[in-house]
Amino acid sequence: MAAEKSPPQPWDATWEIAFDRFDKLATDQPRFSSTRDVIAALKDMPEVRGLFIKSSMFTAFITPYSCYPDFFDGRRITIDVDRNSTVIVRYLRDGFDKSPAEYTFAVEEAATQIAALCREHL
C-alpha cells in the first residue's frame, strides 16, 4: 500500500517554518544563526517567490517542488554553514547529482548570491 501524501504547504509558509527551525537550532548552536539570517533575507526577495524551502537535519534547501519525493529527486539549491559560519551553497541538477556546483559565501553576501542562483537555475 502506498503511503498517503500530505497536502503541500503554501510556498510562503515553508519559509516561515524554515526560519523558525533554524532560529531554534541557533539557540543551542550559534553557527545556525547564519542559516537563519540568510533565510530571513531571502524570504522576501522576488527571486524566491513561489519557491519552497525545506530542511533536512541541518541543511536548508530551496526547490520549485512542493511535495515529496519531488523536492528530494528534483533540482534544488542547498544551504549549509561550516564551523566558521561561512555559507556553503550547492546547486544540484537532480537528486542524484554526483558533482553539484558548490559555492562559498560570507553571510553578508549569501542571500544576494543565492537569489541569483535561484533565478538562474530554479
Side-chain angles (χ1 to χ4, degrees), residues 41-91:
L42 273 170
K43 70 183 182 76
D44 295 322
M45 292 183 161
E47 292 88 349
V48 302
R49 183 167 182 77
L51 297 176
F52 299 86
I53 187 167
K54 304 287 184 177
S55 60
S56 174
M57 292 298 285
F58 305 125
T59 301
F61 56 96
I62 304 168
T63 176
Y65 311 106
S66 62
C67 296
Y68 176 84
D70 299 339
F71 55 72
F72 278 119
D73 292 345
R75 66 189 189 279
R76 64 183 180 269
I77 292 173
T78 65
I79 304 168
D80 287 296
V81 292
D82 65 13
R83 295 193 187 280
N84 300 318
S85 296
T86 302
V87 180
I88 301 166
V89 177
R90 292 176 187 87
Y91 165 62

Side-chain angles (χ1 to χ4, degrees), residues 2-15:
E4 188 174 320
K5 289 185 178 180
S6 58
Q9 298 167 320
W11 72 272
D12 51 344
T14 65
W15 288 86

Side-chain angles (χ1 to χ4, degrees), residues 11-32:
W11 72 272
D12 51 344
T14 65
W15 288 86
E16 294 300 325
I17 292 166
F19 176 86
D20 291 344
R21 174 176 174 70
F22 285 96
D23 190 43
K24 288 177 185 164
L25 284 171
T27 302
D28 294 328
Q29 299 180 42
R31 71 185 178 111
F32 289 111

